[in-house]
Every structure is written in C-alpha cells, then in structure tokens.
Amino acid sequence: MKKLILLAAFMVIAFQGFSQTSLEPTKLGEWNRPAATGIADVDQYIDACADMYQEAMDIRKQYEAIDTLTLNVGEALEIAQNNDETINHKIAEYKALFERVEAQQQAAATLPALAEKAAKSVPLGLKAIAITKAIASTKNAIKLAVEENVALVKAITQQLSTLSTAPVKGE
C-alpha cells in the first residue's frame, strides 16, 4: 500500500513536471528539400542544411524516447525510491543527447562558409533563379533546426536538473 501511495504521488509530480518541461510540438517536417541543382557547391550546401535538419528530427525522436520516464511506471517507482542506478542511467542518456545537440551546433558553424561558396558558384542566366530559390529555401530549414535545438537544450537542462537533485541511496 505504501508503494502504491508513493507511486501515485510520484506520478502526480512527474506529470506536473512533464507538463512544464515537455517540448512544444515540433515544427520540423515543414521543409521540403529542394532538388539537386547540378552545381557541386550549391548541392553541398543544401546537403549540409538537409543533414542538420534531419539530425534535429533524429535528436527530437531520441529525446522523446528517453522522456518516456513519466510514462514508465517501473522507472518512475525506481526513481521515486531514489534508485541511484536508474537515476544515473537517465542522467547519462540526457547528457549524451545534450552532447549530440552541441555537436550539431558545431557542424552548423560551417554553414556560412558553405553558403558563401554556394552563392558565388551560381551562374548567370535563367537557371540562376531556380538555384537561388533552392539556396533561399534552406533558411527555413536552418531556422527550424535551431529553434528545435534551443527547445531541446531547455528541456534537457530541466530534466538533468530534476534528476541531479534527486537524493540517491548511498553505496
């Protein structure tokens, strides 16, 4: 009976925490990758933007898989009982995810140089209009990926803070 009450109390707290720290619905998936242009520098830039966008979607999926903590009764009970192994495992998962977001941001730092190179390689003529549109379309992809990363960093930080402050049983 004591475990049931403890579990019920923890689930109420977990769901309150979940409503405060959960991510907004993602806006990713709203960008369509432009067709290949046939110009290597432009296609390389578009590929880099598409990779960043896809990575942001993959990171979101990984976060959602880790964040099932509030729905997994067994883990919730173990954390409520301050099981240090379970808490440390969750902390490690969130830290790994945080590192993945940081790595993506470092990769994004290369985009300005790629964009400049792509812009300089656009030929004159009618084909330039389509290529310029393809380059311009990446702006939305980058914006969505960055917004997603900011939201993920906030949510991950909140989860790490919550888990790190949980008192754990000593060895």
Side-chain angles (χ1 to χ4, degrees):
M1 183 67 173
K2 183 179 175 184
K3 284 186 178 181
L4 184 59
I5 293 171
L6 181 62
L7 178 61
F10 183 77
M11 293 306 285
V12 168
I13 292 167
F15 281 115
Q16 287 174 346
F18 180 74
S19 65
Q20 294 170 355
T21 62
S22 65
L23 290 170
E24 293 293 317
T26 186
K27 294 178 184 172
L28 295 174
E30 296 178 2
W31 178 67
N32 293 317
R33 180 185 182 142
T37 64
I39 299 173
D41 291 338
V42 174
D43 290 338
Q44 181 184 11
Y45 170 69
I46 291 171
D47 289 345
C49 291
D51 290 345
M52 180 179 170
Y53 189 77
Q54 182 62 48
E55 178 70 1
M57 289 193 300
D58 292 346
I59 291 170
R60 173 63 165 236
K61 288 176 189 171
Q62 184 179 352
Y63 175 86
E64 289 171 348
I66 294 170
D67 201 40
T68 58
L69 160 70
T70 55
L71 305 176
N72 184 322
V73 176
E75 282 181 331
L77 184 56
E78 288 177 0
I79 289 175
Q81 293 174 341
N82 300 323
N83 182 305
D84 59 341
E85 184 178 330
T86 303
I87 291 172
N88 290 335
H89 178 71
K90 282 294 178 185
I91 288 172
E93 286 182 305
Y94 282 115
K95 283 183 178 179
L97 188 59
F98 190 80
E99 289 171 5
R100 190 171 174 191
V101 172
E102 284 182 325
Q104 184 190 29
Q105 292 304 104
Q106 291 171 0
T110 65
L111 291 179
L114 290 173
E116 182 179 347
K117 195 173 174 185
K120 288 180 180 177
S121 67
V122 175
L124 297 175
L126 294 176
K127 192 174 182 182
I129 295 169
I131 294 170
T132 303
K133 283 183 182 180
I135 292 172
S137 78
T138 61
K139 179 181 176 185
N140 192 36
I142 294 168
K143 178 180 175 262
L144 290 171
V146 169
E147 287 174 356
E148 185 77 10
N149 285 340
V150 168
L152 281 164
V153 166
K154 287 179 184 177
I156 292 167
T157 302
Q158 178 63 39
Q159 294 292 34
L160 284 171
S161 175
T162 300
L163 289 168
S164 295
T165 59
V168 295
K169 293 179 184 175
E171 296 272 327

